[in-house]
Amino acid sequence: MKTSMDQGNVIPAPINNPTAARGERSIGTLLIHAGRLTLENAERILYLQREQGLRFGDAAIQLGLLTQADVDFALARQFDYPYLIRGESKVSESLVTAYAPFSPQGQVFSTLRSQLMLRWFDNEPARKALAVISAGRGEGRSYVAANLAVSFSQLGQKTLLVDADMRNPSQYTLFGVENRNGLSSLLAGRAELQSAIQHIPGLPGLSVLTSGAMPPNPLELLARPLFPQLLAELAQQYDVILLDTPSTADYADAQTIAVRAGAAIIVARKNATRMWHVRGISDTVAHASATVIGTVLNDF
């Protein structure tokens, strides 16, 4: 995998000089402090780089001292584009944007993110929230919401993912976090906001508000005035708020959430979702005075 980021010339800071290491953001230094490169091998790479006029990453790969994945890892951190390393995080490895944002699948979410920025989030400052909805279960709604949340955070947007599916929640398992205090606790007045929001290690711009304990009355909780008040408070703290929802075929929760958010995208699964279901969802949400931004066809 190649990236368009310029690798540039690098001179690693001495590994025993913490001050220099913090001030130097070269690829060599980043890899040394990540434990992926020794100072001795960095010097070998530098020698070949200067001798043949290569980029540091190309010289390292030619010598067999680094892989393209190592170079991509350093480039992401050099340009403040964080992602996770497989086996080193509790976040599910199914989230492609968290582990392989430069892959073809990861780039699909980057494209979707750009479209949403142009069509919704960048149009007016008040537009901060977006519901992710679908007709039935198993269509990839939670998967799309989670990957989009990671992608927005990598763009530098302060992002909050809210699991508003208080019937069959999944975001706590995808991100490997606890699900004790969450949305249901906040709407029932049993928790404080800051104690319910969880930050994801390795993804500094991303926070998750899980669903919380499963209540007997999710729709009634969402219909309370406290829910729009909560979204308004969150909009003061975050650039992007994405809300995962229950399936519209089973419950009316998603329509309520979409109206409170102001807009929604519809997730459909390739060769599975019926078009009349998508049209029905779109009409229902639009009639409730929420904007349907578009439809995402999921073939994962």
Side-chain angles (χ1 to χ4, degrees), residues 95-163:
L95 298 185
V96 62
T97 52
Y99 290 94
F102 308 122
S103 67
Q105 280 186 320
Q107 290 303 301
V108 169
F109 283 102
S110 295
T111 301
L112 177 58
R113 176 192 66 195
S114 298
Q115 290 293 323
L116 292 174
M117 290 295 293
L118 292 172
R119 298 186 182 188
W120 180 249
F121 292 108
D122 273 359
N123 287 345
E124 294 182 16
R127 294 179 176 179
K128 297 288 188 73
L130 178 72
V132 182
I133 65 178
S134 70
R137 298 184 190 179
E139 295 183 335
R141 176 186 60 253
S142 297
Y143 172 78
V144 169
N147 275 289
L148 266 180
V150 173
S151 188
F152 272 110
S153 72
Q154 290 168 331
L155 188 63
Q157 300 289 302
K158 192 175 182 183
T159 304
L160 177 67
L161 175 61
V162 180
D163 194 344

Short mmCIF file of all heavy atoms in Angstrom, two decimals, residues 95-163:
data_model
loop_
_atom_site.label_atom_id
_atom_site.label_comp_id
_atom_site.label_asym_id
_atom_site.label_seq_id
_atom_site.Cartn_x
_atom_site.Cartn_y
_atom_site.Cartn_z
N LEU A 95 -13.16 -3.03 12.33
CA LEU A 95 -13.28 -1.61 11.99
C LEU A 95 -12.09 -1.22 11.12
O LEU A 95 -11.00 -0.93 11.61
CB LEU A 95 -13.35 -0.75 13.25
CG LEU A 95 -14.55 -1.01 14.15
CD1 LEU A 95 -14.58 -0.02 15.30
CD2 LEU A 95 -15.85 -0.94 13.37
N VAL A 96 -12.32 -1.20 9.82
CA VAL A 96 -11.23 -1.01 8.87
C VAL A 96 -10.59 0.36 8.99
O VAL A 96 -9.37 0.51 8.83
CB VAL A 96 -11.74 -1.27 7.43
CG1 VAL A 96 -12.83 -0.27 7.06
CG2 VAL A 96 -10.62 -1.23 6.42
N THR A 97 -11.37 1.39 9.30
CA THR A 97 -10.80 2.73 9.42
C THR A 97 -9.89 2.86 10.63
O THR A 97 -8.99 3.69 10.65
CB THR A 97 -11.90 3.80 9.52
OG1 THR A 97 -12.81 3.44 10.57
CG2 THR A 97 -12.66 3.92 8.21
N ALA A 98 -10.09 2.02 11.64
CA ALA A 98 -9.27 2.08 12.84
C ALA A 98 -7.92 1.42 12.63
O ALA A 98 -6.93 1.81 13.25
CB ALA A 98 -10.00 1.41 14.01
N TYR A 99 -7.85 0.41 11.75
CA TYR A 99 -6.62 -0.35 11.57
C TYR A 99 -5.99 -0.21 10.18
O TYR A 99 -4.78 -0.39 10.05
CB TYR A 99 -6.90 -1.83 11.84
CG TYR A 99 -7.17 -2.13 13.30
CD1 TYR A 99 -8.48 -2.18 13.78
CD2 TYR A 99 -6.13 -2.36 14.19
CE1 TYR A 99 -8.74 -2.44 15.12
CE2 TYR A 99 -6.39 -2.63 15.53
CZ TYR A 99 -7.69 -2.67 15.99
OH TYR A 99 -7.94 -2.92 17.32
N ALA A 100 -6.78 0.07 9.18
CA ALA A 100 -6.24 0.15 7.82
C ALA A 100 -6.92 1.28 7.05
O ALA A 100 -7.60 1.04 6.05
CB ALA A 100 -6.42 -1.18 7.09
N PRO A 101 -6.76 2.53 7.51
CA PRO A 101 -7.47 3.64 6.87
C PRO A 101 -7.03 3.91 5.44
O PRO A 101 -7.76 4.55 4.69
CB PRO A 101 -7.14 4.83 7.78
CG PRO A 101 -5.86 4.46 8.44
CD PRO A 101 -5.93 2.98 8.64
N PHE A 102 -5.84 3.43 5.04
CA PHE A 102 -5.35 3.69 3.69
C PHE A 102 -5.71 2.56 2.73
O PHE A 102 -5.36 2.62 1.55
CB PHE A 102 -3.83 3.90 3.70
CG PHE A 102 -3.38 4.91 4.70
CD1 PHE A 102 -2.48 4.58 5.71
CD2 PHE A 102 -3.87 6.21 4.67
CE1 PHE A 102 -2.07 5.52 6.65
CE2 PHE A 102 -3.47 7.16 5.60
CZ PHE A 102 -2.57 6.81 6.59
N SER A 103 -6.37 1.52 3.22
CA SER A 103 -6.79 0.41 2.36
C SER A 103 -7.96 0.85 1.48
O SER A 103 -8.60 1.88 1.74
CB SER A 103 -7.21 -0.78 3.22
OG SER A 103 -8.39 -0.46 3.95
N PRO A 104 -8.27 0.09 0.43
CA PRO A 104 -9.43 0.45 -0.42
C PRO A 104 -10.72 0.59 0.38
O PRO A 104 -11.50 1.52 0.15
CB PRO A 104 -9.50 -0.71 -1.42
CG PRO A 104 -8.09 -1.19 -1.53
CD PRO A 104 -7.51 -1.04 -0.15
N GLN A 105 -10.96 -0.31 1.35
CA GLN A 105 -12.16 -0.20 2.17
C GLN A 105 -12.12 1.05 3.03
O GLN A 105 -13.12 1.75 3.20
CB GLN A 105 -12.32 -1.43 3.06
CG GLN A 105 -12.90 -2.64 2.36
CD GLN A 105 -13.17 -3.77 3.33
OE1 GLN A 105 -12.37 -4.03 4.24
NE2 GLN A 105 -14.28 -4.44 3.17
N GLY A 106 -10.95 1.34 3.59
CA GLY A 106 -10.81 2.54 4.41
C GLY A 106 -11.05 3.80 3.61
O GLY A 106 -11.66 4.76 4.11
N GLN A 107 -10.60 3.81 2.37
CA GLN A 107 -10.77 4.98 1.53
C GLN A 107 -12.23 5.20 1.16
O GLN A 107 -12.65 6.33 0.89
CB GLN A 107 -9.91 4.85 0.28
CG GLN A 107 -8.42 4.98 0.55
CD GLN A 107 -8.08 6.30 1.24
OE1 GLN A 107 -8.33 7.37 0.72
NE2 GLN A 107 -7.49 6.21 2.43
N VAL A 108 -13.02 4.13 1.13
CA VAL A 108 -14.46 4.28 0.88
C VAL A 108 -15.10 5.13 1.97
O VAL A 108 -15.92 6.01 1.71
CB VAL A 108 -15.14 2.89 0.79
CG1 VAL A 108 -16.67 3.04 0.81
CG2 VAL A 108 -14.70 2.16 -0.47
N PHE A 109 -14.70 4.87 3.21
CA PHE A 109 -15.25 5.66 4.32
C PHE A 109 -14.72 7.09 4.30
O PHE A 109 -15.42 8.02 4.70
CB PHE A 109 -14.94 4.98 5.66
CG PHE A 109 -15.83 3.82 5.94
CD1 PHE A 109 -15.38 2.52 5.76
CD2 PHE A 109 -17.13 4.01 6.37
CE1 PHE A 109 -16.21 1.43 6.01
CE2 PHE A 109 -17.98 2.94 6.62
CZ PHE A 109 -17.50 1.64 6.44
N SER A 110 -13.50 7.28 3.83
CA SER A 110 -12.99 8.64 3.69
C SER A 110 -13.80 9.42 2.66
O SER A 110 -14.10 10.60 2.85
CB SER A 110 -11.51 8.60 3.25
OG SER A 110 -10.71 8.02 4.26
N THR A 111 -14.17 8.74 1.57
CA THR A 111 -15.00 9.38 0.55
C THR A 111 -16.38 9.73 1.10
O THR A 111 -16.90 10.82 0.87
CB THR A 111 -15.13 8.46 -0.67
OG1 THR A 111 -13.83 8.19 -1.20
CG2 THR A 111 -16.00 9.11 -1.75
N LEU A 112 -16.96 8.78 1.84
CA LEU A 112 -18.26 9.03 2.46
C LEU A 112 -18.17 10.18 3.45
O LEU A 112 -19.06 11.05 3.48
CB LEU A 112 -18.75 7.77 3.16
CG LEU A 112 -20.08 7.87 3.93
CD1 LEU A 112 -21.21 8.32 3.01
CD2 LEU A 112 -20.40 6.53 4.58
N ARG A 113 -17.12 10.22 4.22
CA ARG A 113 -16.90 11.32 5.17
C ARG A 113 -16.86 12.66 4.45
O ARG A 113 -17.48 13.64 4.89
CB ARG A 113 -15.59 11.08 5.93
CG ARG A 113 -15.18 12.18 6.88
CD ARG A 113 -13.75 11.96 7.33
NE ARG A 113 -12.81 12.11 6.23
CZ ARG A 113 -11.54 11.70 6.26
NH1 ARG A 113 -11.07 11.09 7.34
NH2 ARG A 113 -10.76 11.89 5.22
N SER A 114 -16.16 12.72 3.33
CA SER A 114 -16.06 13.96 2.56
C SER A 114 -17.42 14.41 2.05
O SER A 114 -17.75 15.60 2.09
CB SER A 114 -15.09 13.78 1.39
OG SER A 114 -13.79 13.49 1.86
N GLN A 115 -18.21 13.45 1.57
CA GLN A 115 -19.55 13.77 1.09
C GLN A 115 -20.43 14.33 2.20
O GLN A 115 -21.17 15.30 2.01
CB GLN A 115 -20.20 12.52 0.48
CG GLN A 115 -19.58 12.06 -0.82
CD GLN A 115 -19.82 13.05 -1.95
OE1 GLN A 115 -20.88 13.66 -2.04
NE2 GLN A 115 -18.82 13.22 -2.80
N LEU A 116 -20.32 13.74 3.38
CA LEU A 116 -21.12 14.21 4.51
C LEU A 116 -20.67 15.59 4.97
O LEU A 116 -21.50 16.41 5.38
CB LEU A 116 -21.04 13.21 5.67
CG LEU A 116 -21.72 11.86 5.41
CD1 LEU A 116 -21.44 10.90 6.56
CD2 LEU A 116 -23.22 12.03 5.21
N MET A 117 -19.37 15.84 4.92
CA MET A 117 -18.88 17.18 5.27
C MET A 117 -19.46 18.22 4.33
O MET A 117 -19.87 19.30 4.75
CB MET A 117 -17.36 17.20 5.22
CG MET A 117 -16.67 16.41 6.32
SD MET A 117 -16.96 17.07 7.98
CE MET A 117 -16.07 18.62 7.88
N LEU A 118 -19.49 17.91 3.04
CA LEU A 118 -19.98 18.87 2.05
C LEU A 118 -21.49 19.04 2.11
O LEU A 118 -22.00 20.16 1.97
CB LEU A 118 -19.58 18.41 0.64
CG LEU A 118 -18.07 18.45 0.33
CD1 LEU A 118 -17.81 17.78 -1.01
CD2 LEU A 118 -17.58 19.89 0.29
N ARG A 119 -22.20 17.95 2.33
CA ARG A 119 -23.66 17.99 2.25
C ARG A 119 -24.36 18.33 3.56
O ARG A 119 -25.51 18.75 3.55
CB ARG A 119 -24.19 16.63 1.75
CG ARG A 119 -23.72 16.26 0.36
CD ARG A 119 -24.38 15.00 -0.11
NE ARG A 119 -23.90 14.59 -1.43
CZ ARG A 119 -24.42 13.61 -2.14
NH1 ARG A 119 -25.46 12.93 -1.64
NH2 ARG A 119 -23.93 13.29 -3.32
N TRP A 120 -23.66 18.16 4.68
CA TRP A 120 -24.35 18.41 5.95
C TRP A 120 -23.52 19.21 6.95
O TRP A 120 -23.87 20.32 7.32
CB TRP A 120 -24.78 17.08 6.58
CG TRP A 120 -25.50 17.23 7.89
CD1 TRP A 120 -25.06 16.88 9.12
CD2 TRP A 120 -26.80 17.80 8.10
NE1 TRP A 120 -25.98 17.17 10.09
CE2 TRP A 120 -27.07 17.74 9.48
CE3 TRP A 120 -27.75 18.36 7.24
CZ2 TRP A 120 -28.25 18.22 10.03
CZ3 TRP A 120 -28.94 18.84 7.79
CH2 TRP A 120 -29.18 18.77 9.17
N PHE A 121 -22.40 18.66 7.38
CA PHE A 121 -21.70 19.24 8.52
C PHE A 121 -21.09 20.61 8.23
O PHE A 121 -20.97 21.44 9.13
CB PHE A 121 -20.61 18.28 9.00
CG PHE A 121 -21.16 17.03 9.62
CD1 PHE A 121 -21.06 15.81 8.97
CD2 PHE A 121 -21.80 17.07 10.85
CE1 PHE A 121 -21.56 14.65 9.54
CE2 PHE A 121 -22.31 15.93 11.42
CZ PHE A 121 -22.20 14.71 10.76
N ASP A 122 -20.66 20.87 7.01
CA ASP A 122 -20.02 22.15 6.70
C ASP A 122 -20.99 23.25 6.30
O ASP A 122 -20.59 24.40 6.14
CB ASP A 122 -18.99 21.97 5.56
CG ASP A 122 -17.63 21.56 6.10
OD1 ASP A 122 -17.51 21.44 7.32
OD2 ASP A 122 -16.72 21.34 5.29
N ASN A 123 -22.25 22.92 6.12
CA ASN A 123 -23.19 23.91 5.61
C ASN A 123 -23.57 24.97 6.64
O ASN A 123 -23.64 26.14 6.34
CB ASN A 123 -24.46 23.22 5.10
CG ASN A 123 -24.22 22.49 3.79
OD1 ASN A 123 -23.21 22.72 3.13
ND2 ASN A 123 -25.12 21.60 3.42
N GLU A 124 -23.83 24.54 7.86
CA GLU A 124 -24.22 25.47 8.92
C GLU A 124 -23.58 25.02 10.23
O GLU A 124 -23.48 23.82 10.50
CB GLU A 124 -25.75 25.50 9.09
CG GLU A 124 -26.50 26.07 7.89
CD GLU A 124 -27.99 26.10 8.14
OE1 GLU A 124 -28.39 25.97 9.31
OE2 GLU A 124 -28.74 26.24 7.16
N PRO A 125 -23.15 25.97 11.06
CA PRO A 125 -22.50 25.60 12.33
C PRO A 125 -23.40 24.78 13.24
O PRO A 125 -22.91 24.00 14.04
CB PRO A 125 -22.19 26.95 12.96
CG PRO A 125 -22.14 27.91 11.82
CD PRO A 125 -23.13 27.41 10.82
N ALA A 126 -24.72 24.95 13.11
CA ALA A 126 -25.64 24.25 14.00
C ALA A 126 -25.77 22.77 13.65
O ALA A 126 -26.30 21.99 14.44
CB ALA A 126 -27.02 24.91 13.95
N ARG A 127 -25.29 22.37 12.47
CA ARG A 127 -25.44 20.99 12.05
C ARG A 127 -24.28 20.15 12.59
O ARG A 127 -23.21 20.07 12.01
CB ARG A 127 -25.50 20.90 10.53
CG ARG A 127 -26.75 21.56 9.96
CD ARG A 127 -26.78 21.48 8.45
NE ARG A 127 -28.01 22.01 7.91
CZ ARG A 127 -28.29 22.09 6.61
NH1 ARG A 127 -27.39 21.68 5.72
NH2 ARG A 127 -29.44 22.58 6.19
N LYS A 128 -24.52 19.50 13.70
CA LYS A 128 -23.49 18.71 14.34
C LYS A 128 -23.84 17.22 14.41
O LYS A 128 -22.94 16.39 14.51
CB LYS A 128 -23.26 19.21 15.78
CG LYS A 128 -22.74 20.64 15.89
CD LYS A 128 -21.31 20.74 15.46
CE LYS A 128 -20.72 22.11 15.76
NZ LYS A 128 -20.46 22.33 17.19
N ALA A 129 -25.14 16.89 14.39
CA ALA A 129 -25.57 15.51 14.64
C ALA A 129 -26.11 14.85 13.37
O ALA A 129 -26.67 15.51 12.49
CB ALA A 129 -26.65 15.49 15.72
N LEU A 130 -25.92 13.54 13.29
CA LEU A 130 -26.41 12.76 12.15
C LEU A 130 -26.76 11.35 12.64
O LEU A 130 -25.95 10.70 13.30
CB LEU A 130 -25.33 12.67 11.07
CG LEU A 130 -25.68 11.85 9.82
CD1 LEU A 130 -26.72 12.59 8.98
CD2 LEU A 130 -24.43 11.57 9.00
N ALA A 131 -27.96 10.90 12.32
CA ALA A 131 -28.39 9.55 12.68
C ALA A 131 -28.04 8.58 11.55
O ALA A 131 -28.13 8.93 10.38
CB ALA A 131 -29.90 9.53 12.95
N VAL A 132 -27.65 7.38 11.92
CA VAL A 132 -27.38 6.32 10.96
C VAL A 132 -28.48 5.28 11.14
O VAL A 132 -28.59 4.65 12.19
CB VAL A 132 -26.00 5.69 11.18
CG1 VAL A 132 -25.71 4.62 10.13
CG2 VAL A 132 -24.91 6.77 11.14
N ILE A 133 -29.32 5.10 10.11
CA ILE A 133 -30.50 4.26 10.23
C ILE A 133 -30.54 3.20 9.13
O ILE A 133 -29.85 3.31 8.12
CB ILE A 133 -31.80 5.10 10.18
CG1 ILE A 133 -31.96 5.77 8.80
CG2 ILE A 133 -31.79 6.16 11.28
CD1 ILE A 133 -33.25 6.57 8.67
N SER A 134 -31.33 2.15 9.36
CA SER A 134 -31.54 1.13 8.34
C SER A 134 -32.85 0.41 8.62
O SER A 134 -33.41 0.54 9.72
CB SER A 134 -30.39 0.13 8.29
OG SER A 134 -30.38 -0.68 9.45
N ALA A 135 -33.31 -0.36 7.65
CA ALA A 135 -34.61 -1.01 7.79
C ALA A 135 -34.57 -2.15 8.80
O ALA A 135 -35.40 -2.21 9.71
CB ALA A 135 -35.08 -1.52 6.43
N GLY A 136 -33.63 -3.06 8.63
CA GLY A 136 -33.61 -4.24 9.49
C GLY A 136 -32.27 -4.46 10.15
O GLY A 136 -31.33 -3.69 9.98
N ARG A 137 -32.19 -5.55 10.89
CA ARG A 137 -30.93 -5.91 11.54
C ARG A 137 -29.98 -6.54 10.51
O ARG A 137 -30.39 -7.04 9.47
CB ARG A 137 -31.17 -6.91 12.66
CG ARG A 137 -32.06 -6.38 13.78
CD ARG A 137 -32.15 -7.42 14.90
NE ARG A 137 -33.16 -7.06 15.88
CZ ARG A 137 -33.44 -7.81 16.94
NH1 ARG A 137 -32.80 -8.94 17.14
NH2 ARG A 137 -34.38 -7.43 17.80
N GLY A 138 -28.71 -6.52 10.84
CA GLY A 138 -27.73 -7.19 10.00
C GLY A 138 -27.43 -6.49 8.69
O GLY A 138 -26.85 -7.10 7.78
N GLU A 139 -27.78 -5.22 8.59
CA GLU A 139 -27.52 -4.49 7.34
C GLU A 139 -26.26 -3.62 7.42
O GLU A 139 -25.91 -2.96 6.45
CB GLU A 139 -28.74 -3.64 6.98
CG GLU A 139 -29.95 -4.51 6.66
CD GLU A 139 -31.17 -3.71 6.24
OE1 GLU A 139 -31.27 -2.52 6.62
OE2 GLU A 139 -32.02 -4.27 5.54
N GLY A 140 -25.59 -3.64 8.57
CA GLY A 140 -24.32 -2.92 8.69
C GLY A 140 -24.42 -1.52 9.24
O GLY A 140 -23.47 -0.75 9.14
N ARG A 141 -25.54 -1.20 9.85
CA ARG A 141 -25.76 0.16 10.36
C ARG A 141 -24.72 0.52 11.43
O ARG A 141 -24.08 1.57 11.35
CB ARG A 141 -27.17 0.24 10.94
CG ARG A 141 -27.56 1.52 11.60
CD ARG A 141 -28.93 1.38 12.24
NE ARG A 141 -28.95 0.33 13.24
CZ ARG A 141 -29.54 -0.86 13.08
NH1 ARG A 141 -30.16 -1.14 11.95
NH2 ARG A 141 -29.51 -1.76 14.05
N SER A 142 -24.52 -0.36 12.40
CA SER A 142 -23.56 -0.08 13.48
C SER A 142 -22.14 -0.07 12.95
O SER A 142 -21.30 0.72 13.39
CB SER A 142 -23.70 -1.12 14.59
OG SER A 142 -24.99 -1.05 15.18
N TYR A 143 -21.84 -0.95 12.00
CA TYR A 143 -20.51 -1.01 11.39
C TYR A 143 -20.19 0.29 10.66
O TYR A 143 -19.10 0.85 10.80
CB TYR A 143 -20.48 -2.20 10.43
CG TYR A 143 -19.24 -2.31 9.57
CD1 TYR A 143 -18.05 -2.81 10.09
CD2 TYR A 143 -19.27 -1.92 8.24
CE1 TYR A 143 -16.92 -2.92 9.29
CE2 TYR A 143 -18.14 -2.02 7.44
CZ TYR A 143 -16.97 -2.53 7.98
OH TYR A 143 -15.85 -2.62 7.19
N VAL A 144 -21.15 0.79 9.89
CA VAL A 144 -20.95 2.04 9.16
C VAL A 144 -20.80 3.20 10.14
O VAL A 144 -19.91 4.05 9.98
CB VAL A 144 -22.12 2.29 8.19
CG1 VAL A 144 -22.06 3.71 7.62
CG2 VAL A 144 -22.09 1.27 7.06
N ALA A 145 -21.64 3.26 11.16
CA ALA A 145 -21.56 4.35 12.15
C ALA A 145 -20.20 4.36 12.85
O ALA A 145 -19.59 5.42 13.02
CB ALA A 145 -22.69 4.21 13.17
N ALA A 146 -19.72 3.19 13.24
CA ALA A 146 -18.44 3.10 13.95
C ALA A 146 -17.27 3.51 13.06
O ALA A 146 -16.39 4.28 13.47
CB ALA A 146 -18.23 1.68 14.47
N ASN A 147 -17.25 3.01 11.84
CA ASN A 147 -16.16 3.37 10.92
C ASN A 147 -16.19 4.84 10.56
O ASN A 147 -15.13 5.48 10.44
CB ASN A 147 -16.25 2.52 9.64
CG ASN A 147 -15.55 1.18 9.79
OD1 ASN A 147 -14.33 1.10 9.85
ND2 ASN A 147 -16.34 0.12 9.87
N LEU A 148 -17.37 5.39 10.39
CA LEU A 148 -17.47 6.82 10.09
C LEU A 148 -16.97 7.66 11.26
O LEU A 148 -16.28 8.67 11.07
CB LEU A 148 -18.92 7.20 9.78
CG LEU A 148 -19.35 7.19 8.33
CD1 LEU A 148 -20.82 7.59 8.23
CD2 LEU A 148 -18.49 8.14 7.50
N ALA A 149 -17.30 7.24 12.48
CA ALA A 149 -16.85 7.98 13.66
C ALA A 149 -15.32 8.00 13.74
O ALA A 149 -14.72 9.04 14.00
CB ALA A 149 -17.44 7.36 14.93
N VAL A 150 -14.70 6.86 13.49
CA VAL A 150 -13.23 6.81 13.48
C VAL A 150 -12.68 7.71 12.39
O VAL A 150 -11.73 8.48 12.61
CB VAL A 150 -12.75 5.36 13.27
CG1 VAL A 150 -11.22 5.33 13.10
CG2 VAL A 150 -13.15 4.47 14.44
N SER A 151 -13.28 7.65 11.21
CA SER A 151 -12.79 8.44 10.07
C SER A 151 -12.89 9.94 10.34
O SER A 151 -11.96 10.69 10.03
CB SER A 151 -13.59 8.07 8.82
OG SER A 151 -13.03 8.68 7.67
N PHE A 152 -13.98 10.39 10.92
CA PHE A 152 -14.12 11.81 11.25
C PHE A 152 -13.07 12.23 12.29
O PHE A 152 -12.50 13.33 12.19
CB PHE A 152 -15.52 12.11 11.78
CG PHE A 152 -16.51 12.44 10.71
CD1 PHE A 152 -17.53 11.56 10.39
CD2 PHE A 152 -16.44 13.63 10.01
CE1 PHE A 152 -18.45 11.85 9.39
CE2 PHE A 152 -17.35 13.95 9.01
CZ PHE A 152 -18.36 13.05 8.70
N SER A 153 -12.81 11.38 13.27
CA SER A 153 -11.82 11.73 14.29
C SER A 153 -10.42 11.82 13.68
O SER A 153 -9.61 12.65 14.10
CB SER A 153 -11.84 10.70 15.42
OG SER A 153 -11.29 9.46 15.03
N GLN A 154 -10.14 10.99 12.68
CA GLN A 154 -8.83 11.04 12.02
C GLN A 154 -8.66 12.31 11.19
O GLN A 154 -7.54 12.74 10.93
CB GLN A 154 -8.67 9.80 11.13
CG GLN A 154 -8.49 8.51 11.92
CD GLN A 154 -8.62 7.27 11.08
OE1 GLN A 154 -9.31 7.26 10.05
NE2 GLN A 154 -7.94 6.20 11.48
N LEU A 155 -9.77 12.91 10.81
CA LEU A 155 -9.73 14.17 10.08
C LEU A 155 -9.40 15.35 10.99
O LEU A 155 -9.11 16.44 10.52
CB LEU A 155 -11.08 14.41 9.38
CG LEU A 155 -11.20 15.56 8.40
CD1 LEU A 155 -10.27 15.38 7.21
CD2 LEU A 155 -12.64 15.72 7.93
N GLY A 156 -9.43 15.11 12.30
CA GLY A 156 -9.18 16.18 13.26
C GLY A 156 -10.45 16.74 13.85
O GLY A 156 -10.41 17.70 14.63
N GLN A 157 -11.59 16.14 13.50
CA GLN A 157 -12.86 16.56 14.07
C GLN A 157 -13.06 15.91 15.43
O GLN A 157 -12.86 14.70 15.59
CB GLN A 157 -14.02 16.15 13.15
CG GLN A 157 -13.95 16.74 11.76
CD GLN A 157 -14.24 18.23 11.77
OE1 GLN A 157 -15.29 18.67 12.20
NE2 GLN A 157 -13.29 19.00 11.27
N LYS A 158 -13.43 16.70 16.42
CA LYS A 158 -13.75 16.14 17.73
C LYS A 158 -15.08 15.41 17.59
O LYS A 158 -16.12 16.02 17.38
CB LYS A 158 -13.84 17.24 18.78
CG LYS A 158 -13.89 16.70 20.21
CD LYS A 158 -13.85 17.82 21.24
CE LYS A 158 -13.86 17.22 22.64
NZ LYS A 158 -13.91 18.28 23.68
N THR A 159 -15.04 14.08 17.69
CA THR A 159 -16.16 13.24 17.29
C THR A 159 -16.71 12.44 18.45
O THR A 159 -15.96 11.88 19.25
CB THR A 159 -15.71 12.27 16.18
OG1 THR A 159 -15.16 13.02 15.09
CG2 THR A 159 -16.88 11.45 15.67
N LEU A 160 -18.04 12.37 18.53
CA LEU A 160 -18.71 11.55 19.52
C LEU A 160 -19.63 10.56 18.81
O LEU A 160 -20.45 10.95 17.98
CB LEU A 160 -19.54 12.40 20.48
CG LEU A 160 -20.36 11.62 21.52
CD1 LEU A 160 -19.44 10.91 22.51
CD2 LEU A 160 -21.33 12.54 22.27
N LEU A 161 -19.47 9.28 19.13
CA LEU A 161 -20.36 8.24 18.63
C LEU A 161 -21.33 7.87 19.75
O LEU A 161 -20.90 7.44 20.82
CB LEU A 161 -19.56 7.02 18.18
CG LEU A 161 -20.38 5.80 17.74
CD1 LEU A 161 -21.27 6.14 16.54
CD2 LEU A 161 -19.46 4.63 17.42
N VAL A 162 -22.62 8.05 19.51
CA VAL A 162 -23.65 7.74 20.50
C VAL A 162 -24.37 6.46 20.08
O VAL A 162 -24.92 6.39 18.98
CB VAL A 162 -24.67 8.89 20.63
CG1 VAL A 162 -25.73 8.54 21.66
CG2 VAL A 162 -23.97 10.19 20.99
N ASP A 163 -24.35 5.46 20.94
CA ASP A 163 -25.11 4.24 20.66
C ASP A 163 -26.53 4.46 21.20
O ASP A 163 -26.80 4.24 22.38
CB ASP A 163 -24.46 3.03 21.32
CG ASP A 163 -25.04 1.72 20.77
OD1 ASP A 163 -26.12 1.77 20.15
OD2 ASP A 163 -24.41 0.67 20.95
#
